[in-house]
């Protein structure tokens, strides 16, 4: 069986405690690899390597850093199929989705930041004829990068690429549930010629390896994507050390369908936004609100399309819904389905483990796409992030009511609005408490735009120059004239 190692100072090394954790393939329930159960000693070694590498890396010309990052993108492209398959096996997601989204985006992340640094500008402020101020943007040192299991390679590269493009070195801690593509990426980074110590990967549980990173005094910035509760723990440890912190957390995203929407498009895209990646995307629209005049028709079409989704072996190219990431996570999601019934909701479709799965995946963590109606918006099922293939549907009577319902949670990550009325679209978009609002679309991402959440969905923004700003320190130089 494959045994993963940490990647420290350009070499694969066993963890200091010598202990390993099983890594399970969610579609089968079988152990597919072992991963290091790293602790503070391993994080210390990685931070020391990253600190040593920093002085030379920060002085490496942008053109050279860019060339090396582009080389990583080429190598990911050359290993496209392997990475897509590995991501699917490791996370339970359909391989078709990994091919369409995860791997292309990993390539783009490296290309985007490799070229962005060639176009970076800085600002100057003249203080009348008395002084010239200019802003230096300098890397901070060792960046701590903690990523989740839902989009493993996609989100890890979204952090590594801007961090090192800006001249920092890093220690990355991928999710212990999905370590496989991070391990492969580490090898490709070495092969690309990125100097030893610039990128280090430490595997292991959040409570040991993750926390060792957030509380490490020599790691001045942390970029974290994961659950809101974990985000609070990151803040608790990073706060007293005054680290720069960026948190991308959970969502309970509203999807508002007005009566004048293009119904066919709204239904087709809402199926995607509800069930893509088994609902395990922080941007999934898990609360669907539909204006009363079209509620019945929308629901009929939406339920018919939900029932048609092909659930099965993630490695089959035609599969649209794969397995949830773990047994524990499926239990959590099933707990919410039971809670929906207790809270007075009606399960219109789904809610069960699928029957008749192919032989290979009978032991996997599958759950049918599930639609729940009839819940009051104050109920827990409508307030808490479920992060599975479960969507609620609720009718509304006016734009004001839709906005109030949409904003009525602790979260504020993203929202979708479906309408053909341009003015209404702009008005509603402005009123939504949400880091991103999509109008007549979902998950259309331009890497230049600011990305992040309001309220308990996060702190800070990444994306484009916002990422480069996060991964650098702005220094004002004031010269008297
Ligand atoms: O994620 P965790 P979990 C949500 C979703 C899910 C819930 C819990 O609702 O059901 O969070 O998921 C590392 N210090 N999202 O518990 O724990 C961990 O090892 C430092 C939303 O699986 O947040 C992993 O690398 N690090 C989300 C990363 O944090 C710690 C994606 C995320 O894991 C740590 C995932 C600690 N104390 C879950 N504890 C999104 N917004 O995309 C854990 N980690």
């Amino acid at each position: 069986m494959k045994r993963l190692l940490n990647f420290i100072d350009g070499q694969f090394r066993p963890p200091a405690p010598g202990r390993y954790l099983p890594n399970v393939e969610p579609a089968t329930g079988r152990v597919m690899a072992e991963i290091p159960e790293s602790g503070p000693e391993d994080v210390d070694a990685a931070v020391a390597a990253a600190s040593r590498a920093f002085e030379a890396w920060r002085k490496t010309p942008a053109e050279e850093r860019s060339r090396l990052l582009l080389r990583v993108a080429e190598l990911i492209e050359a290993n496209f199929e392997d990475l897509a398959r590995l991501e699917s096996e490791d996370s339970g997601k359909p391989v078709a989705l990994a091919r369409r989204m995860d791997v292309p985006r990993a390539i783009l992340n490296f290309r985007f930041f490799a070229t962005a640094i060639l176009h970076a500008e800085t600002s100057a402020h003249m203080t009348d004829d008395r002084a010239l101020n200019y802003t230096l943007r300098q890397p901070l040192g060792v960046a701590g990068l903690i990523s989740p299991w839902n989009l493993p390679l996609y989100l890890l590269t979204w952090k590594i690429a801007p961090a090192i493009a800006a001249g920092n070195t890093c220690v990355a801690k991928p999710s212990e549930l999905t370590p496989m593509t991070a391990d492969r990426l580490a090898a490709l980074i070495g092969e690309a010629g990125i100097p030893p110590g610039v990128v280090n990967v430490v595997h292991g549980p959040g409570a040991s390896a993750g926390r060792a990173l957030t509380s490490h005094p020599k790691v001045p910035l942390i970029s974290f994507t994961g659950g809101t509760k974990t985000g609070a723990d990151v803040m608790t440890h990073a706060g007293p050390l005054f680290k720069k912190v960026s948190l991308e957390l959970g969502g309970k995203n509203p999807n508002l369908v007005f009566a004048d929407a293009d119904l066919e498009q709204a239904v087709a895209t809402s199926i995607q936004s509800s069930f893509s990646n088994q609902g395990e995307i922080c941007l999934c629209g898990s609360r669907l609100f539909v204006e009363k005049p079209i509620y019945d028709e929308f629901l009929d079409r939406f339920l018919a399309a939900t029932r048609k989704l092909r659930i099965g072996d993630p490695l089959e190219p035609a599969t649209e819904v794969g397995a949830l990431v773990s047994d524990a996570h499926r239990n959590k999601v099933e707990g919410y389905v039971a809670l929906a019934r207790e809270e007075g909701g009606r399960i219109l479709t789904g809610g069960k483990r699928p029957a008749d799965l192919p032989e290979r995946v009978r032991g996997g963590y599958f759950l049918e796409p599930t639609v729940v109606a009839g819940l009051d918006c104050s109920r827990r099922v409508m307030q808490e992030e479920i992060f599975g293939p479960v969507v609620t549907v609720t009718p509304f009577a006016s734009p004001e009511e839709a906005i109030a319902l949409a904003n009525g949670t602790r979260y504020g990550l993203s929202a979708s609005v479906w309408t053909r009325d341009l003015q209404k679209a702009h008005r509603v978009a402005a009123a939504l408490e949400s880091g991103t609002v999509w109008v007549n679309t979902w998950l259309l991402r331009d890497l230049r735009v600011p990305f992040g959440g309001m309220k308990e969905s996060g702190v800070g923004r990444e994306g484009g120059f916002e990422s480069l700003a996060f991964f650098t320190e702005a220094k004002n130089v004031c010269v008297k004239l």
Side-chain angles (χ1 to χ4, degrees), residues 145-151 155 173-177 204-214 224-231 233-234 237 248-251 280-283 325-326 329 332-333 336 384-388 411 413 457:
L145 311 175
I146 301 175
S147 54
W149 43 259
N150 57 334
L151 305 170
L155 288 172
K173 210 296 287 167
S175 170
E176 61 275 32
L177 297 178
S208 55
R211 200 173 284 163
L213 202 51
T214 58
F224 170 84
T225 304
T228 293
K229 250 202 198 135
T230 318
D233 189 78
V234 170
H237 290 86
E248 303 288 351
L249 308 175
E280 297 165 325
I281 302 182
C282 53
L283 301 166
V325 73
S326 68
H329 188 57
K332 177 184 148 180
V333 176
Y336 276 107
E384 297 174 16
E385 185 180 44
I386 299 173
F387 221 58
Y411 293 105
L413 191 56
S457 287

Side-chain angles (χ1 to χ4, degrees), residues 85-270:
R85 190 185 163 96
L86 209 51
E87 198 72 308
S88 168
E89 282 173 340
D90 200 14
S91 68
K93 75 174 65 209
V95 71
L97 184 67
R99 285 188 188 130
R100 198 168 63 241
M101 183 171 79
D102 298 75
V103 184
R105 177 58 188 277
I107 297 165
L108 187 59
N109 285 338
F110 273 96
R111 292 223 163 104
F112 179 82
F113 288 107
T115 48
I117 53 171
L118 302 179
H119 303 269
E121 292 176 358
T122 191
S123 50
H125 299 84
M126 297 299 299
T127 312
D128 304 316
D129 55 359
R130 289 186 295 136
L132 159 67
N133 290 275
Y134 61 90
T135 306
L136 278 183
R137 289 225 153 256
Q138 297 176 313
L140 281 85
V142 182
L145 311 175
I146 301 175
S147 54
W149 43 259
N150 57 334
L151 305 170
L153 188 65
Y154 174 130
L155 288 172
L156 188 64
T157 53
W158 176 242
K159 297 180 187 305
I160 291 179
I164 65 172
N168 302 283
T169 56
C170 68
V171 177
K173 210 296 287 167
S175 170
E176 61 275 32
L177 297 178
T178 53
M180 303 304 287
T181 49
D183 172 68
R184 186 62 68 84
L185 178 70
L188 298 179
I189 280 173
E191 195 182 328
I194 302 249
V198 171
V199 177
N200 305 274
V201 178
V202 177
H203 295 282
S208 55
R211 200 173 284 163
L213 202 51
T214 58
S215 53
H216 201 292
K218 296 215 169 102
V219 176
L221 85 174
I222 298 285
S223 170
F224 170 84
T225 304
T228 293
K229 250 202 198 135
T230 318
D233 189 78
V234 170
M235 280 293 227
T236 304
H237 290 86
L241 296 167
F242 306 105
K243 292 175 192 239
K244 226 176 156 181
V245 176
S246 164
L247 302 176
E248 303 288 351
L249 308 175
K252 189 72 180 172
N253 308 310
N255 184 0
L256 310 178
V257 185
F258 286 92
D260 60 6
D262 177 333
L263 205 54
E264 204 174 312
Q265 266 297 315
V267 169
T269 308
S270 298

Side-chain angles (χ1 to χ4, degrees), residues 249 406-412 433-434 453-459:
L249 308 175
N407 288 344
T409 72
R410 311 195 312 272
Y411 293 105
E433 294 164 356
S434 177
M454 292 186 184
K455 304 196 290 195
E456 292 188 22
S457 287
V459 176

